[in-house]
Amino acid sequence: MQGLIVIDVQNDFCPGGALAVPDGGSIIPAINTLMDRFPVCVLTQDWHPADHASFAANHAGAAPYSMIDMPYGPQVLWPTHCVIGTTGAAFHPALRTDPAQLIIRKGFRAAIDSYSAFFENDRSTPTGLEGYLRSRGVTGLTMVGLATDFCVAYSALDARRLGFDVTIDLTACRGIDLNGSLAEATSKMKAAGVVMRSAL
Ligand code: VGL
Ligand code: ZN
């Protein structure tokens, strides 16, 4: 059974949003088409309280895109984005949401970020997605969405670690590319056996 995981196609990651991924909106038509080809379709939504520790604004004097050390490791400090209940956190209006059977929200604990759809950034607190996919008999995943080098890559790496077959469709992903993060994420995914495909 094959599943499509659509990562964080939310207003704040699209042009005009608080943490806009370059060209992020252009992947939406391709994702909408892909949804009809998978019997299992899951959307993820970055979903942070206003006092979230990943926001630069919550650290006195810290600039957006600087780094801090958190108990679970280094953490990028982001512009405030995807605050629970705001328009920025909503799915982009052009994204089809009806085909999805599950919407998984992540990053709702103030003290810990969650890039991956499977685990928070401590790599151990689960979101519950693994159990959902296994109980539906899913063994292979195609992942698309935003951003290639953060939430898509972390999700793909965790999925490989959990034993799923994973394909990333690069025509339906866009990256942030912060200090070489796109090349680093790409080589990590390749080394982990993630299939990188550029055609839908
Ligand atoms: C993301 C940075 C912060 C993502 C989420 O969806 O890739 N990136 N929160
Ligand atoms: Zn976030």
Side-chain angles (χ1 to χ4, degrees):
M1 182 83 87
Q2 296 292 313
L4 179 69
I5 313 286
V6 180
I7 308 278
D8 298 3
V9 182
Q10 295 165 260
N11 289 320
D12 270 344
F13 296 122
C14 293
L19 180 39
V21 179
D23 198 32
S26 70
I27 63 177
I28 295 172
I31 295 174
N32 286 341
T33 300
L34 269 180
M35 284 176 175
D36 290 325
R37 299 196 200 157
F38 288 84
V40 175
C41 178
V42 176
L43 308 181
T44 73
Q45 208 168 13
D46 212 37
W47 199 248
H48 301 310
D51 64 348
H52 198 253
S54 80
F55 296 165
N58 292 327
H59 300 264
Y65 306 104
S66 62
M67 303 285 304
I68 55 159
D69 283 313
M70 298 285 270
Y72 53 83
Q75 167 75 48
V76 180
L77 291 179
W78 300 106
T80 298
H81 65 277
C82 296
V83 174
I84 293 171
T86 62
T87 304
F91 290 115
H92 188 286
L95 183 75
R96 293 171 68 205
T97 58
D98 289 355
Q101 298 97 28
L102 178 74
I103 295 172
I104 194 130
R105 290 171 168 167
K106 60 188 179 60
F108 50 78
R109 291 181 181 87
I112 182 164
D113 208 0
S114 186
Y115 295 150
S116 166
F118 291 94
F119 296 101
E120 304 203 346
N121 284 11
D122 61 3
R123 313 299 298 270
S124 65
T125 305
T127 62
L129 179 58
E130 179 193 4
Y132 177 82
L133 294 173
R134 293 212 196 281
S135 59
R136 290 205 56 196
V138 175
T139 55
L141 297 171
T142 293
M143 296 189 174
V144 295
L146 305 169
T148 317
D149 40 349
F150 288 93
C151 291
V152 176
Y154 274 65
S155 299
L157 291 169
D158 280 345
R160 287 295 300 139
R161 193 156 62 93
L162 294 169
F164 293 96
D165 293 325
V166 183
T167 298
I168 298 285
D169 207 318
L170 292 172
T171 54
C173 297
R174 290 293 182 275
I176 296 174
D177 205 9
L178 185 65
N179 303 319
S181 57
L182 192 54
E184 188 185 331
T186 302
S187 70
K188 277 188 186 163
M189 286 192 279
K190 280 188 179 148
V194 175
V195 176
M196 318 278 279
R197 204 172 48 155
S198 286
L200 292 169

